[in-house]
Amino acid sequence: MAFITPSTPNNNINKCSSTQLQTSALESLADITTLSIDSGDIDTVARYAKTGLITDATTNPLFVSQAGANGDARYEAMVQEAVTYAKRKTCAEDGCAVPEDTLNLAIDRLAVNLGKELVGLVPGRVSTEVDIRLSYDTDKSVERARSIIAMYEDAGISKDRILIKLAGTWEGIQAAKVLEKEGIQCNITLVFSFLQAAAAAQAGAYLISPFPGRILDWHKKQTGQEGYAPEADPGVLAVKRMYAYFRKYGYDTICMPASWRPSRGAAVEGSDVDEILALAGVDEMTIPEPLLNSLCALSPDVVKRNCDPTTDAAACNDPDFRLTEESFAQYWKTDVCGQEKLKEGMDAFTAETEKLITILIEKF
């Protein structure tokens, strides 16, 4: 995940300029995989959007929380507008205790304010996350998602430019199923297992965000192994399995991995982009600024297509077993990596949301 900090240009980005003859690994990667930038920093997104290599942008509770605490006048204006909007819509008065629904609306409004800025920078979609605390409540997740989309549409931004992010719980996936039928496209995030991916595809989710780096973290902790060849990285193999299943059975769900780690270990030069290169050719990737910079500094020759729809579909051995809530729960009990990493991710995003609440309360 990228952090919103005072941003300074990186010289490597110049090597990725679409106006220069020199090419880079990032340009080669963009030829075979749609690229999203994993950042809520307006300046960073703007710089990379100008290269023409980045199509989408993803945000999460961490970015929104950092926007709330940033101090930059642009982010502060977003916060103040969110507070004013929430007060006006819920009739909360200055000096009174802040009702929960007012705070929740301010949180969503701030996420939309950040998203509106990013929509103006990238040509594709911006992901905006539903309150992570609702991840086990389908109805409330759907309600908040509709409210977020309504705010975007009130600002003149079509829902076709927005992806609603929902955690990969059974309830979150079922919320996506409802929303997709309404034409609201969804990004199922915090995906650590094939089970989550299959359920999301069967629900008709537009996109999933599996986290190969965190899957690798779990396996390294379990085995004590310091590093893997990128093609044998457990996170890479997990994503390839998901991608192969989608392509074999004709699911339209996009596979967009995020959250990267060095397969061979951080001490190995160039290993920071191991997983990215090992998954080159997958539908889409979301990549933070430091790794985009690394790819800009590498030769285009390092990029080889390692995900191919026809080849990977042919190699898929998984049946298209239709999941129910009961069967999902039964299989989920055996998925220790999925359980542990999902809880860890949700706990971290919940903590960021609670930080944001503290910041917002001070603004009322």
Side-chain angles (χ1 to χ4, degrees):
M1 291 180 288
F3 290 82
I4 298 177
T5 56
S7 182
T8 56
N10 185 290
N11 289 333
N12 286 337
I13 196 173
N14 295 327
K15 301 175 184 177
C16 291
S17 171
S18 59
T19 63
Q20 294 190 6
L21 293 177
Q22 183 180 8
T23 58
S24 69
L26 186 64
E27 288 173 279
S28 292
L29 182 63
D31 286 339
I32 59 175
T33 292
T34 299
L35 299 181
S36 173
I37 185 167
D38 195 15
S39 176
D41 183 278
I42 296 169
D43 296 328
T44 296
V45 175
R47 284 200 304 274
Y48 266 99
K50 287 177 182 177
T51 68
L53 303 176
I54 300 300
T55 300
D56 298 345
T58 55
T59 66
N60 61 45
L62 174 61
F63 299 157
V64 178
S65 174
Q66 290 173 342
N70 185 271
D72 182 298
R74 295 168 299 175
Y75 297 106
E76 184 61 27
M78 293 182 199
V79 174
Q80 291 299 337
E81 195 282 338
V83 169
T84 300
Y85 177 89
K87 283 182 179 180
R88 185 174 73 250
K89 290 292 184 179
T90 60
C91 300
E93 298 178 1
D94 289 339
C96 297
V98 185
E100 183 178 3
D101 61 341
T102 305
L103 276 174
N104 289 339
L105 184 56
I107 290 169
D108 291 348
R109 183 67 174 187
L110 178 56
V112 169
N113 286 346
L114 178 58
K116 286 191 298 185
E117 291 293 326
L118 300 181
V119 163
L121 299 174
V122 297
R125 291 175 171 84
V126 170
S127 291
T128 298
E129 190 151 351
V130 167
D131 191 331
I132 195 72
R133 298 171 299 168
L134 301 178
S135 296
Y136 290 104
D137 190 321
T138 296
D139 291 341
K140 289 185 178 179
S141 292
V142 168
E143 180 183 351
R144 291 282 284 275
R146 288 171 177 157
S147 174
I148 288 169
I149 291 297
M151 283 188 275
Y152 274 116
E153 291 185 327
D154 286 346
I157 297 170
S158 169
K159 63 184 178 183
D160 294 338
R161 297 291 311 280
I162 305 301
L163 292 180
I164 290 293
K165 285 180 77 174
L166 297 155
T169 59
W170 175 261
E171 292 80 5
I173 292 168
Q174 298 315 297
K177 185 175 183 178
V178 173
L179 293 165
E180 292 282 354
K181 290 178 179 177
E182 298 176 3
I184 298 172
Q185 295 178 319
C186 298
N187 171 352
I188 300 299
T189 191
L190 296 174
V191 172
F192 304 101
S193 78
F194 175 78
L195 181 64
Q196 292 171 288
Q202 291 175 18
Y206 177 81
L207 180 150
I208 66 162
S209 294
F211 288 13
R214 299 194 198 183
I215 296 171
L216 173 62
D217 289 344
W218 188 87
H219 283 272
K220 288 173 69 174
K221 182 178 179 181
Q222 299 302 308
T223 65
Q225 187 167 332
E226 289 298 317
Y228 292 80
E231 64 274 13
D233 178 324
V236 169
L237 294 176
V239 173
K240 284 182 70 69
R241 183 184 177 192
M242 299 171 198
Y243 174 75
Y245 173 79
F246 293 172
R247 301 293 80 85
K248 179 172 182 176
Y249 295 109
Y251 290 109
D252 292 329
T253 300
I254 291 168
C255 187
M256 184 185 75
S259 190
W260 310 94
R261 300 289 188 271
S263 301
R264 294 170 291 164
V268 179
E269 185 177 359
S271 64
D272 57 339
V273 293
D274 278 351
E275 292 184 329
I276 292 173
L277 296 178
L279 289 168
V282 73
D283 301 318
E284 186 164 353
M285 296 177 176
T286 186
I287 305 174
E289 181 191 19
L291 300 186
L292 292 172
N293 292 338
S294 294
L295 290 164
C296 283
L298 293 176
S299 163
D301 297 337
V302 302
V303 178
K304 311 293 182 187
R305 182 181 285 277
N306 290 313
C307 291
D308 176 82
T310 302
T311 304
D312 287 312
C316 175
N317 293 317
D318 290 297
D320 192 21
F321 177 75
R322 303 302 296 182
L323 292 162
T324 64
E325 183 173 5
E326 292 73 25
S327 61
F328 181 93
Q330 183 178 13
Y331 288 123
W332 187 244
K333 290 178 182 178
T334 69
D335 193 334
V336 182
C337 175
Q339 289 181 57
E340 292 184 359
K341 300 309 287 186
L342 177 61
K343 182 180 185 303
E344 178 184 291
M346 289 178 59
D347 286 349
F349 283 165
T350 297
E352 292 301 329
T353 301
E354 290 171 351
K355 287 180 188 177
L356 178 58
I357 288 171
T358 300
I359 293 166
L360 290 173
I361 287 175
E362 294 175 356
K363 305 290 184 180
F364 276 87

